[in-house]
Amino acid sequence: MEFELSLEQKDIQRAAYEFAQKEFDPDLILELDSHHQFPHSIWKKASQLGFIGVHYPEEFGGQGLGLFENLLIIESFCKVDSGIGSALSLVDLGSEILLEFASHEQKKRWLTPLAKGEQQLSIAFGESEDENDISSISTIVKERGDGYLINGKKRFVWNTDLANSFITLCKDDKERLMTCIIERETQGLEIHSINKIGLRMLSFGDIDLKEIFIPSENIIGEIGKAAKYVKHYFQNSSLRFLAQALGTAQGAFDRGLQYAKQRVQFGRKLIEFQVIRHKLAEMAIGVEVMRLLIYRLAIDCDQRKMDPKFFWITKQEVGRRLIEIVDEALQIFGGYGYMVEQPVEHYFRDTWAIISKLGTEEELKDSIANELFVPISKKK
Amino acid sequence: MFFELNDKQKNFQKKVREIYEKEVNPLVDEYEKKQTFPKQLFRILGDYHLLLVKCPKEYGGPGMDKISECILTEELNRISIGIGAGVMVHGGLATDPILRHGSEEMKRKYLPPAVRGEKIGAFALTEPDAGSDASGIRTAAIRQGDGYRLNGSKTFITNGTICDFVTVAAYTDPTKRGKGINLFVVEREDKGFSVVRKLEKLGNHSSDTAELAFDDCYIPKERMIGEKEGGGLEQLEDTLKSGRITYGARSTGVGQAAFEKIFSYVKETKRYGDYLARSQAIRFLLAEIAMNIEVMRYFTFRGAWLFDQGIATMKDASMVKLFCTETLQKILKKSMSIQKEAGLIDENPIQRLLRDGRLFKITEGTSEIQHIVIARELGL
């Protein structure tokens, strides 16, 4: 067992951090966040430097590294800014499915442009208020000619404004689930944008699919096996949100500490007050716990031996810690923390957007318990 | 000992709820979006006698007690925290010191128009370098002829952009740390007074917060509250005490609003084929929230009752603020997190409560300051 990053990993981490330090301009961050705008030029630069899709195979524009290395990049980005970091983290949402289940042709067509920074991808699975609940999927697909017709509605889709294509989930008349790619320009695709309080650089919304036609080469994998793809997606994509959580927590801690070292009240620096020191100590514990859990999970994922119980435990603990850390960071800033010009203000809002993707305490505990003990049968 | 509001108080509660539903509720969304206080509301609420409720009849007020003030504060904050903030500062911090320590002439000049909502008040103590540490303010009032020249800047001032007068704390004798402070009433037209800028915040968007500047601002000595130089912070003692109890009522109202929203949410929302309200964990959660609201409400009323009897200590008031504002945070965080992505939407009522209510732990004495006060008064 080793608990140290390799030299290569440290280099990646440092390069990502230095890039973010240089490019994530504080005034630009406030402007993009308040206008709900995506950091276009930063995304282009990041992809030119290879920060998008490091875990893709080289033939598809990646560097053949692991999810762990991708996580290190997202963490470093979010440490510098939760908003831009998360925006860059989610430009290729759904690539998890392409990497694992798409054909060579499909990867060439849809994966490579993601790494090059030419395109963005998103996922449109959920139909109720809960993306994970795929039991209620009612988007219907019918065969027509050399392709398929899709009708349905998808809720709470991320990156609706910029994704060039959406991987969606639907079922046929035999109740078989399937995943397919719908390109943005397809006729019948209607996007309804929704403004949200956190991660405002990323668009969000509902999508109506009305008589959408897709050619059969847009079907990913086999019809009837999509439940497995979806599960793979949820597990692997969680690493993005966990990495965002970790970077955001670290960034909030760093800012809180820096402020406590400079702010003077009652003739002393805040850092000289025991209660403030203990707050920061508790935050430091949280960041370390988060990092250990998340790093282990990422390494398990790369080694393809992920324990679902550990996955849920990680999400539960990370969510809880993130809320505490960011909340305390804001508290250390006092009134200033409540003002938009202090980054901790949007760290607070972004935190809730990140948390929303980790699952609620109740459902995660349900999952952990079901894994540990005999699942309870649902009373009707 | 009795634990019930009397008939008169119950009627008052019912009446104010109806008034706020009719007059305030329809304005909330619009002014949250505009990010400004609905100024016209001052006159409307003034007509109902709901601004300076504790102000005696001889100055035009209804002369009610602290319990009644808590009743209306709870009801108003149930509808809008931002609007609640503007109204609270006007009726509390801005005018209470005048009522308690002002000359007869000053009371006759400022109170009746404030009661009617014709003149709007603000209160300016906090400075960029002096928040929790009120004695650390630097604004100076230098004696000159028949008055004082004020120089300094104030920040995080509620009603700052819309006020007609502002009660300002300044040192008349900077050599006496904490003791050499006086309160002055500065009028909007006074030369040398200016609103530097409006501040953007995490929440409380329907309340105006501003940075103010006093640049050689001349104030005749009749507008100093009290006759002697010094003792301004001591004059604030009862006002702050009353204000801290008010935070109990604010928290109760916000908790109540959150409960009502989350109650319908869990009854209407299905996950994995079943209503959330059928989940045991969720039922326990709502039971706990309901219990905590009751505790907050009665703890607040006890504080208000002690205040009305003239026996409330600062410890009593700080305990009310600390307990209620912290309990509220737990309620809001849980209510927010069980909604997942649905909670992120701009129109979602709970996310607004979360952003708005977060300020309660910061203003009018942070939670840390309340701990300090309580520990000191315990005799430690």
Side-chain angles (χ1 to χ4, degrees):
Chain A
M1 222 176 197
E2 273 180 50
F3 278 95
E4 223 195 338
L5 299 181
S6 70
L7 280 178
E8 190 192 8
Q9 288 163 341
K10 282 182 189 165
D11 282 344
I12 292 171
Q13 198 177 39
R14 191 177 319 115
Y17 184 66
E18 282 167 5
F19 171 78
Q21 286 279 34
K22 184 166 154 264
E23 301 290 338
F24 299 4
D25 174 69
D27 291 335
L28 177 71
I29 291 167
L30 293 184
E31 195 187 313
L32 294 173
D33 181 72
S34 75
H35 294 102
H36 300 252
Q37 280 168 356
F38 181 80
H40 257 283
S41 60
I42 295 176
W43 166 56
K44 291 282 178 191
K45 278 185 203 161
S47 49
Q48 279 157 17
L49 293 169
F51 290 123
I52 309 292
V54 278
H55 55 300
Y56 301 178
E58 283 174 33
E59 60 176 319
F60 305 115
Q63 297 175 42
L65 297 166
L67 286 164
F68 183 54
E69 282 79 11
N70 191 44
L71 179 146
L72 291 175
I73 292 170
I74 299 170
E75 179 196 348
S76 300
F77 284 177
C78 288
K79 189 171 138 181
V80 180
D81 186 65
S82 57
I84 296 186
S86 296
L88 297 180
S89 161
L90 299 177
V91 288
D92 63 338
L93 193 61
S95 59
E96 290 84 356
I97 291 187
L98 295 177
L99 280 166
E100 190 73 13
F101 306 107
S103 67
H104 192 271
E105 269 312 297
Q106 288 174 325
K107 285 182 194 170
K108 233 167 74 181
R109 178 165 163 200
W110 283 299
L111 204 53
T112 310
L114 300 178
K116 286 189 178 162
E118 293 163 0
Q119 288 197 6
Q120 298 186 11
L121 176 70
S122 191
I123 283 285
F125 283 173
E127 294 179 9
S128 66
E129 292 205 345
D130 193 351
E131 182 191 43
N132 292 276
D133 182 9
I134 61 163
S135 60
S136 60
I137 295 296
S138 62
T139 296
I140 290 293
V141 58
K142 281 186 199 135
E143 268 185 80
R144 198 179 76 182
D146 52 355
Y148 296 86
L149 267 190
I150 302 174
N151 276 289
K153 275 179 194 297
K154 295 292 175 184
R155 286 211 80 179
F156 298 159
V157 178
W158 288 71
N159 204 7
T160 39
D161 287 356
L162 294 174
N164 299 80
S165 35
F166 300 92
I167 298 183
T168 195
L169 181 66
C170 38
K171 64 182 179 190
D172 66 7
D173 51 4
K174 294 180 194 117
E175 295 280 311
R176 295 182 303 177
L177 286 172
M178 61 186 265
T179 42
C180 57
I181 295 188
I182 300 176
E183 293 188 316
R184 179 178 201 86
E185 286 74 29
T186 312
Q187 221 181 358
L189 184 98
E190 268 178 34
I191 291 172
H192 308 278
S193 297
I194 302 171
N195 279 347
K196 56 180 166 33
I197 62 155
L199 298 183
R200 295 198 296 208
M201 294 181 202
L202 277 161
S203 49
F204 185 69
D206 296 340
I207 296 185
D208 284 350
L209 307 168
K210 290 178 184 162
E211 297 284 292
I212 294 265
F213 177 79
I214 53 156
S216 48
E217 62 258 31
N218 285 32
I219 304 291
I220 302 170
E222 286 175 59
I223 296 171
K225 294 208 169 154
K228 184 174 130 194
Y229 311 158
V230 171
K231 190 176 165 199
H232 176 85
Y233 161 74
F234 281 131
Q235 290 184 344
N236 286 270
S237 69
S238 281
L239 286 174
R240 299 171 189 270
F241 299 105
L242 291 166
Q244 289 166 226
L246 176 56
T248 300
Q250 180 73 61
F253 171 81
D254 293 347
R255 284 170 172 81
L257 175 61
Q258 193 194 16
Y259 188 74
K261 282 179 175 172
Q262 77 186 46
R263 174 76 169 174
V264 176
Q265 289 287 277
F266 304 101
R268 285 150 80 191
K269 290 182 173 153
L270 292 189
I271 194 75
E272 292 168 32
F273 290 89
Q274 189 186 25
V275 165
I276 302 293
R277 299 173 74 79
H278 286 193
K279 262 186 211 297
L280 286 158
E282 181 65 35
M283 290 156 78
I285 295 169
V287 172
E288 287 304 324
V289 168
M290 287 170 81
R291 183 169 289 121
L292 280 175
L293 290 169
I294 295 169
Y295 280 12
R296 185 191 139 184
L297 187 74
I299 291 165
D300 284 355
C301 276
D302 277 333
Q303 295 178 355
R304 296 176 170 271
K305 55 172 197 192
M306 195 186 68
D307 168 7
K309 178 173 87 260
F310 184 74
F311 169 65
W312 292 312
I313 288 173
T314 300
K315 291 211 290 182
Q316 159 85 69
E317 188 61 18
V318 165
R320 182 154 57 193
R321 293 286 187 174
L322 176 62
I323 294 176
E324 282 170 15
I325 291 166
V326 175
D327 196 72
E328 284 291 29
L330 192 144
Q331 188 68 13
I332 289 172
F333 275 88
Y336 287 102
Y338 202 74
M339 300 297 138
V340 169
E341 50 207 76
Q342 277 296 342
V344 73
E345 186 271 343
H346 72 265
Y347 269 67
F348 182 88
R349 287 184 283 106
D350 291 348
T351 287
W352 286 97
I354 296 168
I355 296 288
S356 76
K357 300 297 284 183
L358 296 180
T360 70
E361 183 181 341
E362 292 76 21
E363 68 194 29
L364 290 167
K365 282 182 181 165
D366 275 345
S367 302
I368 295 165
N370 285 343
E371 191 71 20
L372 286 168
F373 328 118
V374 183
I376 39 167
S377 56
K378 275 205 171 153
K379 265 193 283 174
K380 283 290 151 200
Chain B
M1 215 174 191
F2 62 95
F3 281 96
E4 214 187 7
L5 297 177
N6 62 36
D7 285 345
K8 205 176 143 204
Q9 288 163 334
K10 278 187 201 158
N11 283 335
F12 180 65
Q13 187 174 43
K14 195 166 155 265
K15 194 187 95 186
V16 293
R17 181 176 283 219
E18 282 165 10
I19 294 169
Y20 292 144
E21 289 286 356
K22 178 171 165 246
E23 307 285 2
V24 182
N25 208 10
L27 303 173
V28 175
D29 287 342
E30 186 189 341
Y31 285 85
E32 279 287 316
K33 227 175 236 143
K34 283 187 182 164
Q35 304 222 359
T36 184
F37 188 94
K39 229 178 135 177
Q40 69 275 24
L41 200 55
F42 273 106
R43 281 182 187 247
I44 295 169
L45 294 180
D47 283 345
Y48 287 109
H49 264 209
L50 292 177
L51 292 174
L52 273 68
V53 279
K54 299 205 300 302
C55 181
K57 292 203 167 78
E58 54 181 313
Y59 305 111
M64 299 178 99
D65 56 9
K66 183 71 194 170
I67 291 190
S68 306
E69 191 185 56
C70 284
I71 290 171
L72 75 89
T73 302
E74 180 186 329
E75 294 302 328
L76 179 56
N77 282 274
R78 180 180 152 268
I79 291 178
S80 169
I81 301 174
I83 292 173
V87 170
M88 173 191 66
V89 166
H90 174 75
L93 291 167
T95 50
D96 202 55
I98 298 175
L99 179 61
R100 289 178 187 281
H101 304 283
S103 65
E104 191 57 27
E105 188 196 344
M106 187 183 250
K107 287 192 226 182
R108 300 230 170 261
K109 182 175 177 196
Y110 291 101
L111 296 177
V115 166
R116 293 193 295 268
E118 290 161 13
K119 299 279 182 196
I120 301 169
F123 173 73
L125 172 63
T126 299
E127 296 182 3
D129 293 323
S132 291
D133 179 12
S135 303
I137 60 168
R138 288 201 211 125
T139 298
I142 306 299
R143 183 82 200 230
Q144 195 183 61
D146 257 355
Y148 292 85
R149 254 189 215 289
L150 263 62
N151 277 290
S153 58
K154 298 285 180 182
T155 194
F156 308 147
I157 308 306
T158 304
N159 294 345
T161 55
I162 57 169
C163 65
D164 297 292
F165 65 93
V166 50
T167 301
V168 183
Y171 268 105
T172 42
D173 185 355
T175 62
K176 294 184 187 150
R177 189 179 158 87
K179 305 281 180 200
I181 294 173
N182 281 82
L183 301 172
F184 295 86
V185 181
V186 174
E187 294 180 7
R188 186 167 198 92
E189 298 75 24
D190 287 332
K191 222 178 137 216
F193 167 67
S194 61
V195 178
V196 180
R197 62 189 182 129
K198 185 169 154 175
L199 300 165
E200 283 183 60
K201 314 181 291 293
L202 171 64
N204 284 261
H205 289 167
S206 52
S207 120
D208 284 86
T209 308
E211 223 173 86
L212 307 180
F214 303 90
D215 188 13
D216 268 340
C217 179
Y218 182 78
I219 304 298
K221 75 171 190 310
E222 297 78 47
R223 284 206 254 137
M224 184 169 91
I225 300 180
E227 282 164 16
K228 281 185 305 203
E229 285 193 359
L233 286 186
E234 286 77 4
Q235 286 177 348
L236 282 175
E237 178 94 359
D238 279 338
T239 303
L240 290 177
K241 210 184 271 178
S242 170
R244 284 173 186 174
I245 295 166
T246 296
Y247 270 84
R250 299 191 81 190
S251 302
T252 309
V254 178
Q256 180 67 37
F259 177 80
E260 287 167 21
K261 308 293 181 201
I262 208 67
F263 184 83
S264 358
Y265 182 80
V266 300
K267 289 197 112 185
E268 287 158 11
T269 307
K270 266 187 171 180
R271 283 203 196 128
Y272 300 98
D274 211 347
Y275 288 104
L276 276 177
R278 281 170 54 91
S279 147
Q280 194 176 35
I282 297 293
R283 299 170 76 86
F284 274 42
L285 173 67
L286 267 88
E288 205 164 305
I289 293 176
M291 174 189 74
N292 275 313
I293 292 168
E294 290 293 312
V295 177
M296 289 197 284
R297 183 173 288 131
Y298 288 103
F299 194 37
T300 301
F301 280 145
R302 176 184 171 268
W305 181 83
L306 289 172
F307 190 84
D308 283 334
Q309 307 307 307
I311 52 174
T313 60
M314 194 58 102
K315 182 187 73 174
D316 294 323
S318 288
M319 282 183 171
V320 171
K321 182 176 190 267
L322 180 60
F323 178 82
C324 295
T325 57
E326 288 290 340
T327 302
L328 176 65
Q329 305 307 314
K330 288 179 209 150
I331 294 173
L332 296 177
K333 284 182 198 169
K334 277 309 294 189
S335 303
M336 184 69 186
S337 56
I338 61 175
Q339 299 178 98
K340 300 172 93 173
E341 281 159 300
L344 301 179
I345 299 173
D346 271 2
E347 285 75 25
N348 183 278
I350 290 174
Q351 62 81 11
R352 185 189 292 166
L353 299 177
L354 176 87
R355 286 184 295 106
D356 291 355
R358 183 61 186 77
L359 187 58
F360 289 8
K361 273 178 62 163
I362 299 172
T363 48
E364 296 201 30
T366 62
S367 288
E368 291 72 22
I369 292 298
Q370 309 304 335
H371 278 95
I372 290 172
V373 169
I374 295 166
R376 188 166 56 215
E377 291 205 8
L378 284 172
L380 289 167

